[in-house]
Amino acid sequence: MSKLYTRAFSIFAALLIGFTVFSIANATTPEENKAAGIAFLAENAKKPTIKTTPSGLQYEIVTEGAGASPAATDSVTVHYKGTTIDGAEFDSSYSRGAPATFPLNRVIAGWTEGVQLMKEGAKYRFYIPAELAYGTRGAGPKIGPNSALIFDIELIKVE
């Protein structure tokens, strides 16, 4: 039984080492995230429906609104979905089944700038460069450092 245990342990160790090497080899670095974001945004800017602000925030209007536009100091109620540029969803009020309300000046800079362009009832898609998102720190396990992000935002109410 000792030989069986030793063999099983050796196989387990080899698999663990192999998985670790595979994970490290396929890790995305902050530099790779930054380069991918820059390339994505440069290509995205070529689309005729994309508008770009002086800060580098890109957006497209999905549905125009007709209500009030918020100031940075207002609170807003929104439905939203956030994804990385490869399409991986990291947050969604739609998935939770309830809109979110928060002060607009307490979120990432890309949101503060972009949502001010909207009117109540509007739906926009924002393409946010890393420096207007979470920058070099990233956010949690799903948003790496220097990651550009995409948000679909529906402005429900300005308060």
Side-chain angles (χ1 to χ4, degrees), residues 98-123:
T101 301
F102 47 81
L104 194 52
N105 61 3
R106 302 284 177 145
V107 294
I108 60 174
W111 267 62
T112 302
E113 178 184 353
V115 175
Q116 289 181 83
L117 301 171
M118 303 174 74
K119 295 181 184 295
E120 289 175 329
K123 293 181 183 179

Side-chain angles (χ1 to χ4, degrees), residues 9-25:
F9 181 78
S10 296
I11 291 170
F12 174 75
L15 289 173
L16 184 60
I17 291 168
F19 177 76
T20 302
V21 170
F22 176 81
S23 296
I24 292 169

Side-chain angles (χ1 to χ4, degrees), residues 78-83 89-100 142 152:
V78 297
H79 254 311
Y80 68 92
K81 177 178 87 169
T83 63
E89 184 177 305
F90 57 83
D91 193 13
S92 172
S93 66
Y94 294 107
S95 295
R96 289 190 299 277
K142 295 183 180 180
D152 292 318

Side-chain angles (χ1 to χ4, degrees), residues 20-104:
T20 302
V21 170
F22 176 81
S23 296
I24 292 169
N26 291 300
T28 303
T29 67
E31 295 77 19
E32 290 170 330
N33 287 342
K34 185 74 171 173
I38 289 169
F40 174 86
L41 293 167
E43 192 61 31
N44 197 53
K46 296 175 185 176
K47 296 176 184 174
T49 58
I50 301 299
K51 298 175 183 173
T52 305
T53 69
S55 71
L57 175 69
Q58 295 179 356
Y59 67 98
E60 60 186 316
I61 301 168
V62 178
T63 304
E64 274 291 3
S69 290
T73 55
D74 289 330
S75 286
V76 294
T77 299
V78 297
H79 254 311
Y80 68 92
K81 177 178 87 169
T83 63
T84 55
I85 60 173
D86 66 1
E89 184 177 305
F90 57 83
D91 193 13
S92 172
S93 66
Y94 294 107
S95 295
R96 289 190 299 277
T101 301
F102 47 81
L104 194 52

